[in-house]
Amino acid sequence: MEHNAIEMIGITKTFPGIIANDDVTISVRENEVLALLGENGAGKSTLMSVLFGAYEADRGVIRIRGKEVKIKDPNAATALGIGMVHQHFKLVHNYTVTENIVLGMEPVGRFGMLDLKNAAKRVAELSERYGLMVNPDDKIEDITVGMQQRVEILKTLYRNADILIFDEPTAVLTPQEIDELMNIIRRLKAEGKTIIIITHKLEEIKAVAERCTVLRRGKLIGTVTVADVTEQDLAEMMVGRAVKFQIDKAPANPGKAVLELKNISVKNSRGRLAVKDLSLDVHAGEIVGIAGVDGNGQSELIYAITGMTPVESGSVLLNGKDITKYGIRERIEAGIGHIPEDRQKHGLVSDFTVSENIVLKNYYKAPYSSKGGLLNYQAIRDKTASLIKDFDVRAAEGVATLAGSMSGGNKQKLIIAREIELSPEVLVVAQPTRGLDVGAIEYIRKRIVDERDKGRAILLVSFELDEIMNLCDRIATISKGSIAGIFKAGEVTEREIGVMMAGSKNKNTKEVPA
């Protein structure tokens, strides 16, 4: 008979204006990988935060290996052998790997002195045992995002966790890092660990999970054996309706060149050239995609187009006019819209309401502001109410909801609503569906195609190759800050794109006009 490592029975957790978990009951068997699937805002992270002691349930019972427990804080969870790898890493960037891992339970040697040497030795042993390949002496600020996640995994293992919770573990990883993480999870299972993965990526569930529990709007929908269902079945359980994985779109009808990048070079934050002599144009009524592995100059290119960083050389033209020296507001006024890759940092002000975020870029204009500079709050609220309805933004307290309290998918819809409402000439779209569920992905991709069909010029930067292949009319591959090739959609395979992303130029490649 298989024993349950975890039972959560009748868990209810409410926040002001929202029931995050509504009488949810789940079980996790000893030494299994269970996926916890649901839309953004379905209550997955809240449920696991209750298990980890970050929140206390209003009602319900938790049993660990048959014994009822009270988990009042994360220390209590740690004592029970429960570890959580958070979506947003909790690391001190100027500390070493070892210093981060022992933080809060610092090892003391003879004479009460801090004993980091033995701690580093244990970190190295754990790293090797689980195939994590982490150097205990590296500083966090010097290692990749994927490696930082491994440090978070090591933190749980160092504390002897045998139940591991992964919260959206692949949201910030490259495709290669995702494959490596899947292998790490398989290795953890082989070593006897019990694992819960909070996710909405169906292919990852099929890759590593044995069972999948689905939540929708705080309620339990059911638990299925992964081998017995298709990705389509899981998607329907998650969103409550059939979901299209492919976007239906008519062929592009491109017009004039709207955005022209002429031999631009851009430095990164360390003063090194990240974009080198890059030329590209985007025409009205087309989506041009930039495909590449993270860290090949995509971010710096977006910053240069939107005015967030200066161009070292070359020029940026909008409708034939040189805007290279324009500031951010001047570029917005000229017609550049921007859906940023980091919605927390560059997309929204978390402490502002939904209404305040909607008018961030045009609050000083009529009808939102009078000539005397006084804000017309009623006009702002009316416009916001209209947009959150049109874009299906789910905000617990309507227009007065704080942006920071919303789920990732709803934050993204809010940004897209604001940017599309501004009717830009060019829409620069970066990682539009990163970390989102299939329902939100379907919706957002459709809105991007709708904007193309209205004649907008759209530049799409995405690390998701299927998104590039699915949405774009032309595809440019970027490697080490330079364009490796430009193709029309349908003239290149995913594998060929992948080869060029890795830095190999295609000898037959030439610039493909719109």
Side-chain angles (χ1 to χ4, degrees), residues 258-314:
V258 178
L259 177 69
E260 296 172 88
L261 309 175
K262 294 187 178 293
N263 307 103
I264 67 168
S265 295
V266 187
K267 285 183 178 177
N268 62 18
S269 58
R270 295 185 176 184
R272 296 177 188 154
L273 278 184
V275 178
K276 301 164 190 170
D277 197 31
L278 183 148
S279 295
L280 184 69
D281 55 66
V282 188
H283 292 241
E286 73 165 347
I287 302 172
V288 174
I290 294 185
V293 176
D294 191 9
N296 276 273
Q298 297 97 319
S299 296
E300 289 81 6
L301 178 63
I302 293 164
Y303 295 165
I305 295 168
T306 56
M308 294 165 67
T309 198
V311 171
E312 290 298 310
S313 60

Side-chain angles (χ1 to χ4, degrees), residues 8-22:
M8 302 182 77
I9 303 158
I11 301 295
T12 297
K13 177 63 183 172
T14 59
F15 298 100
I18 191 166
I19 303 172
N21 296 139
D22 188 354

Side-chain angles (χ1 to χ4, degrees), residues 258-259 302-303 305-308 318 323 328-341 346 361 415-430 451 456-460:
V258 178
L259 177 69
I302 293 164
Y303 295 165
I305 295 168
T306 56
M308 294 165 67
L318 186 65
I323 64 165
I328 293 174
R329 180 180 279 192
E330 288 176 293
R331 293 185 196 221
I332 294 167
E333 297 273 8
I336 289 184
H338 180 207
I339 297 167
E341 60 184 325
H346 298 134
K361 294 187 173 182
I415 293 167
I416 288 169
R418 179 184 67 212
E419 298 304 312
I420 287 177
E421 175 64 17
L422 290 167
S423 297
E425 300 264 338
V426 176
L427 196 52
V428 180
V429 184
E451 290 308 296
R456 306 256 189 275
I458 296 172
L459 181 65
L460 171 69

Side-chain angles (χ1 to χ4, degrees), residues 22 35 57 63 189 233 270 360 367 407 466 470 494 498:
D22 188 354
R63 294 193 188 118
K189 176 180 160 53
D233 295 331
R270 295 185 176 184
L360 272 183
S407 70
D466 74 309
N470 206 351
E494 211 167 295

Side-chain angles (χ1 to χ4, degrees), residues 466-480:
D466 74 309
E467 184 157 80
I468 292 283
M469 304 295 280
N470 206 351
L471 280 182
C472 297
D473 304 303
R474 286 191 298 143
I475 300 166
T477 56
I478 191 169
S479 177
K480 296 177 182 173

Side-chain angles (χ1 to χ4, degrees), residues 28-318:
V28 190
R29 295 169 187 157
E30 196 78 55
N31 191 217
E32 85 164 330
V33 180
L34 178 86
L36 192 56
L37 176 67
E39 292 181 277
N40 297 103
K44 310 180 298 292
S45 294
T46 300
L47 187 66
M48 288 300 100
S49 293
V50 168
L51 179 60
F52 187 59
Y55 297 141
E56 201 168 344
D58 303 329
R59 289 193 303 279
V61 171
I62 300 174
R63 294 193 188 118
I64 303 296
R65 298 187 178 89
K67 183 181 176 184
E68 188 172 328
V69 295
K70 297 286 184 190
I71 307 177
K72 290 192 174 293
D73 55 44
N75 289 333
T78 301
L80 290 165
I82 301 168
M84 189 163 180
V85 179
H86 297 274
Q87 181 178 357
H88 302 293
F89 308 147
K90 300 179 184 300
L91 299 170
V92 182
H93 277 227
N94 58 345
Y95 279 18
T96 66
V97 166
T98 301
E99 287 166 343
N100 270 278
I101 287 169
V102 303
L103 204 57
M105 51 177 297
E106 291 81 357
V108 177
R110 291 178 67 191
F111 312 116
M113 300 291 285
L114 190 63
D115 184 7
L116 285 177
K117 187 176 178 182
N118 278 321
K121 189 177 172 186
R122 182 160 176 242
V123 168
E125 288 166 356
L126 286 168
S127 175
E128 188 172 340
R129 177 176 171 184
Y130 292 99
L132 294 167
M133 296 182 292
V134 173
N135 181 347
D137 300 321
D138 281 348
K139 278 195 173 181
I140 297 299
E141 62 192 3
D142 295 330
I143 62 178
T144 65
V145 170
M147 202 58 77
Q148 288 177 35
Q149 185 179 64
R150 296 180 188 200
V151 176
E152 289 282 15
I153 295 169
L154 273 170
K155 270 167 69 174
T156 68
L157 297 173
Y158 188 88
R159 287 157 175 74
N160 300 313
D162 47 25
I163 294 169
L164 277 76
I165 305 162
F166 287 85
D167 187 1
E168 302 286 1
T170 64
V172 293
L173 303 186
T174 65
Q176 183 187 8
E177 287 171 333
I178 290 170
D179 290 342
E180 290 167 357
L181 177 65
M182 296 297 111
N183 286 329
I184 289 166
I185 288 171
R186 291 185 191 102
R187 192 150 177 174
L188 288 164
K189 176 180 160 53
E191 290 278 349
K193 304 297 184 188
T194 299
I195 297 162
I196 304 172
I197 304 179
I198 304 171
T199 188
H200 44 241
K201 292 195 174 179
L202 306 175
E203 66 276 11
E204 292 164 14
I205 293 172
K206 296 294 278 184
V208 293
E210 292 139 88
R211 292 189 307 143
C212 177
T213 293
V214 182
L215 299 183
R216 191 193 313 146
R217 300 202 179 189
K219 291 181 181 290
L220 175 71
I221 300 302
T223 298
V224 294
T225 301
V226 171
D228 296 343
V229 293
T230 65
E231 288 187 18
Q232 190 70 51
D233 295 331
L234 291 170
E236 288 190 31
M237 285 181 74
M238 176 164 58
V239 301
R241 59 175 174 80
V243 174
K244 286 185 178 179
F245 290 113
Q246 297 294 318
I247 293 292
D248 295 326
K249 64 184 177 76
N253 185 23
K256 64 173 183 175
V258 178
L259 177 69
E260 296 172 88
L261 309 175
K262 294 187 178 293
N263 307 103
I264 67 168
S265 295
V266 187
K267 285 183 178 177
N268 62 18
S269 58
R270 295 185 176 184
R272 296 177 188 154
L273 278 184
V275 178
K276 301 164 190 170
D277 197 31
L278 183 148
S279 295
L280 184 69
D281 55 66
V282 188
H283 292 241
E286 73 165 347
I287 302 172
V288 174
I290 294 185
V293 176
D294 191 9
N296 276 273
Q298 297 97 319
S299 296
E300 289 81 6
L301 178 63
I302 293 164
Y303 295 165
I305 295 168
T306 56
M308 294 165 67
T309 198
V311 171
E312 290 298 310
S313 60
S315 52
V316 180
L317 273 62
L318 186 65

